[in-house]
Amino acid sequence: GAVVSQHPSWVICKSGTSVKIECRSLDFQATTMFWYRQFPKQSLMLMATSNEGSKATYEQGVEKDKFLINHASLTLSTLTVTSAHPEDSSFYICSARVRSGGAYNEQFFGPGTRLTVL
Amino acid sequence: AQSVSQHNHHVILSEAASLELGCNYSYGGTVNLFWYVQYPGQHLQLLLKYFSGDPLVKGIKGFEAEFIKSKFSFNLRKPSVQWSDTAEYFCAVNAGGNKLVFGAGTILRVKS
């Protein structure tokens, strides 16, 4: 159980276009999903926290108009990279938090999406 | 701000060798600490976690980690590694609100 999928697994796009990445929790409901970005040989950097039915909370330095996040249901969150540029090329990873009580709920990670902007 | 430091970016070991990966964190409050593993081509998986209680935490696949509060450390250990342990290992701390702050990762290569 606790499987998170991402689609697409990789995408190549032209500069100036927009790209949408989906994150789904396949067998559980996720009240919160997180979006991370990973540069080569670097760690995962949290971009934003997405709560179902409300606006996403973005980390400092992340442009909310550039990276649009929608969490319309308990099993789906989307990240749209708008007007993509080569510097947006990266590995984007989502995670989903199991909906239950307690001070901390484990996050389950998706396999990631490799975005290349030409 | 919270930060996590992993001491080695690359580690190469022979099978049956013992493993210790260093992790230090910077956070003044109560911490929840994690080790994640990412096998080649796969997603991040939780190896083990520490919330409270016994500072020696047992995880999956024979891994363990020790929380030493005075040293702000949470080192990962395994007495005898296998070729299948080849992966990237990430230490992380819960920065509040269920947000995780990750270290830079350590790539472990086990030679058969």
Side-chain angles (χ1 to χ4, degrees), chain B residues 33-110:
Chain B
L33 294 157
F34 307 83
W35 275 98
Y36 284 86
V37 61
Q38 187 171 28
Y39 297 104
Q42 296 188 30
H43 57 276
L44 278 167
Q45 299 172 47
L46 182 66
L47 262 183
L48 47 78
K49 61 189 176 189
Y50 171 80
F51 284 5
S52 63
D54 188 344
L56 185 61
V57 180
K58 303 280 186 188
I60 60 171
K61 305 187 181 188
F63 286 90
E64 64 179 30
E66 184 175 13
F67 170 55
I68 302 180
K69 188 175 180 179
S70 61
K71 295 184 178 180
F72 297 90
S73 70
F74 189 56
N75 293 354
L76 181 71
R77 299 195 292 248
K78 185 170 184 179
S80 176
V81 294
Q82 301 171 313
W83 177 80
S84 57
D85 293 323
T86 294
E88 188 161 14
Y89 294 81
F90 293 92
C91 182
V93 62
N94 181 6
N98 290 297
K99 295 197 295 185
L100 293 175
V101 176
F102 284 85
T106 297
I107 297 171
L108 170 66
R109 181 176 153 234
V110 179

Side-chain angles (χ1 to χ4, degrees), chain A residues 9-81:
Chain A
S9 55
W10 58 271
V11 57
I12 301 173
C13 70
K14 292 182 179 179
S15 186
T17 61
S18 295
V19 174
K20 180 185 283 189
I21 302 170
E22 292 186 349
C23 176
R24 292 182 185 272
S25 57
L26 297 185
D27 49 3
F28 66 97
Q29 293 183 324
T31 49
T32 305
M33 290 183 172
F34 302 87
W35 286 96
Y36 296 84
R37 185 172 178 176
Q38 186 178 25
F39 291 101
K41 298 184 180 180
Q42 294 187 33
S43 185
L44 285 79
M45 299 296 295
L46 180 65
M47 298 174 65
T49 302
S50 166
N51 291 298
E52 185 263 338
S54 62
K55 290 184 178 179
T57 303
Y58 290 81
E59 294 300 301
Q60 194 172 13
V62 178
E63 300 175 59
K64 61 180 181 180
D65 295 329
K66 172 81 172 171
F67 299 99
L68 300 178
I69 291 172
N70 184 284
H71 193 161
S73 78
L74 286 171
T75 60
L76 173 65
S77 176
T78 60
L79 167 67
T80 302
V81 183

